[in-house]
Structures are given as C-alpha cells and as structure tokens.
Amino acid sequence: MASKHATRAPLLPDSARRRLVDDLRGQGVTDERVLAAIGRVPRHEFVSEGMRWRAYENTALPIGQAQTISQPLVVGLMTQTLIADAPRKRVLEVGTGCGYQAAVLAEIINSVFTIERIKVLSMQARETLRRLGYQNIIFQYGDGMSGWPGHSPYDGILVTAGAPEIPQALTAQLAAGGRLVMPLGGSGAQRLVVIDKQADGRLQRRDLSGVSFVPLVAGKA
C-alpha cells in the first residue's frame, strides 16, 4: 500500500506555466498578449535552484539582496495596464531585479530599457536574459529614481518599487501620450497608480488596487 505521505511528482515547467496562466486569467489578467508572454517566459530561470519548485506559484519569492521576484498576478496586471489603450514601443523599467518583469515586457514591447541600482542583481539579470536569447533589452546599472534620460522619451515607464511620491525625473522622461505605472505610498500602504501624460504635458492620475513592493531607493549599491 502506498504511503499516505508519498509526494507527487513535480509539475513539469510547461504544465506549471499553463496552470499559472489559467490562474491569472481567472484573477483579472485578461489581455491575451500578456497571458501569452507569461506563458512563454520560464520563471524558474529567474530564481535560485532551491526555489525552482515554487517558481510557478502565484506568489513573490526571494531573490537575494533583500529583494523579491514579483507575484505573477502583479506582473500581469502592471503589464496589462501599461500596454492598454495605445501601443508602447519603447518602455523603461525601473528596478530590473532578477529580470523576470523585463522578460515579460520584452515578449510584447519592441525595446525595453531596464535600470537596476544593485550591481549584483543587474549583472545576474543581464546574464540570465542574454542566456535566454533576449536581444531587445538594454541594461543599465544606475539610480532608477533618475531614470535613463539618454534614451528618453519613453512610451511607457514601469516602476517595480514603491515610493511616497512620483519621481519628477521619470515623468519628465515620459513622452506625450505615454503612461507610467508604479506603486505609490509608504511601506505597507501602497497603491498601484497610473499616470498618463497628456499632449500638453499635464499629468492625469488614476489609482488602482493595493500592492506591496520593496521601497524605491536613490543611488547605487
């Protein structure tokens, strides 16, 4: 008789990704471009060997340096919000982390510029994404709060860390008609906000759901 404590064989990555996509579809990620991108990106490649068995859970996971890989639902909703309503060909991501969000963006966006303040994470993400064959992602190790003015303006900016205020440098680098999506607020009380830049330069803000991100910090580490 088989033991009642016997463990099941782990899901293969492809089947686990399909299950994750189905889960996200049921929780509000409705853009098929985003769901297809998440289905293609091998999330297990962005976490440590010891965390790979949890890679396709809909949860944030530690990646070292007191940082996390974002919950797939949040990645899906932020990406969906960023690309809704208008094409985004040039996008800046502030906070590369392990590179997972950049990979999802790169499946949809022509050119992704990503900046990370922690050097070891920037180097690891670059290595992972290059190994996976992404050629439309441009990396920089630098201060994300300052953005990346050398490649601006951007059609979209996505910030993967929370701040009490929207950095003026980022809105300045947003093209007319562009959109910025970021968590806003102090630790433990953040809201996902959308900033649309009008043709006359005015900023229009919408608040979405509550989220929890690591803080956006100035400078390089």
Side-chain angles (χ1 to χ4, degrees):
M1 179 182 296
S3 167
K4 65 179 180 180
H5 298 295
T7 57
R8 292 177 295 174
L11 288 170
L12 294 174
D14 285 348
S15 61
R17 271 182 267 180
R18 287 193 296 269
R19 187 181 69 170
L20 175 61
V21 167
D22 289 341
D23 184 25
L24 299 185
R25 184 181 283 112
Q27 295 192 58
V29 182
T30 56
D31 191 311
E32 290 298 329
R33 295 170 296 175
V34 176
L35 291 168
I38 291 173
R40 288 191 294 267
V41 175
R43 193 171 186 247
H44 63 277
E45 296 284 356
F46 295 89
V47 297
S48 66
E49 189 73 32
M51 281 288 169
R52 287 192 169 189
W53 67 280
R54 299 189 62 192
Y56 297 98
E57 294 179 8
N58 186 16
T59 188
L61 296 170
I63 57 171
Q65 308 298 316
Q67 304 295 303
T68 59
I69 181 173
S70 293
Q71 179 186 7
L73 177 61
V74 174
V75 170
L77 291 175
M78 290 183 73
T79 305
Q80 175 175 278
T81 302
L82 185 72
I83 68 173
D85 306 323
R88 314 286 175 197
K89 296 183 178 180
R90 294 170 59 82
V91 166
L92 172 67
E93 179 198 27
V94 176
T96 311
C98 64
Y100 177 67
Q101 172 72 80
V104 172
L105 288 170
E107 293 283 342
I108 305 167
I109 306 296
N110 289 355
S111 299
V112 177
F113 301 85
T114 184
I115 184 167
E116 172 58 54
R117 68 177 296 271
I118 301 175
K119 189 171 187 179
V120 64
L121 290 181
S122 181
M123 294 174 64
Q124 289 171 353
R126 185 190 304 246
E127 179 182 346
T128 300
L129 290 163
R130 289 289 182 254
R131 175 166 47 80
L132 293 175
Y134 289 97
Q135 298 182 5
N136 59 331
I137 303 175
I138 300 92
F139 302 86
Q140 177 164 289
Y141 161 55
D143 181 358
M145 291 191 75
S146 300
W148 197 345
H151 291 285
S152 66
Y154 302 99
D155 303 315
I157 299 177
L158 191 150
V159 183
T160 62
E165 297 179 353
I166 299 166
Q168 188 175 2
L170 298 184
T171 56
Q173 293 169 36
L174 197 60
R179 173 171 290 175
L180 182 149
V181 179
M182 71 173 290
L184 195 64
S187 177
Q190 299 163 352
R191 301 288 297 178
L192 193 62
V193 301
V194 180
I195 304 295
D196 288 309
K197 193 169 191 177
Q198 308 302 308
D200 61 3
R202 289 183 300 112
L203 302 176
Q204 185 175 37
R205 170 177 162 177
R206 293 184 285 129
D207 286 26
L208 303 180
S209 59
V211 289
S212 179
F213 278 81
V214 296
L216 183 64
V217 180
K220 298 191 290 186

